[in-house]
Amino acid sequence: MATRNKAAGGFFLILAIFGGFIWGLMSGLPLEGAVLGTLIGIVLAVGVWLVDRRRG
């Protein structure tokens, strides 16, 4: 029986945190940018998890 590779959403989480932090630095609000990036990253990671779960 072939094993199926699982998708990982952690990449989107890290990318969104860094992106939010960079955006926040440019806006003068680095903490708010990092928090917003974290929330967006969580939504994306959960979305990847749900899609992967549906396929499995």
Side-chain angles (χ1 to χ4, degrees):
M1 177 177 223
T3 59
R4 188 177 64 82
N5 291 334
K6 298 195 183 264
F11 170 76
F12 295 114
L13 181 60
I14 294 299
L15 188 66
I17 292 171
F18 283 145
F21 181 71
I22 298 297
W23 173 79
L25 279 176
M26 292 189 297
S27 301
L29 303 167
L31 181 62
E32 287 82 356
V35 170
L36 182 63
T38 302
L39 294 175
I40 292 170
I42 288 171
V43 168
L44 290 173
V46 168
V48 168
W49 174 68
L50 288 173
V51 168
D52 186 50
R53 201 172 141 201
R54 183 174 289 216
R55 287 184 190 172

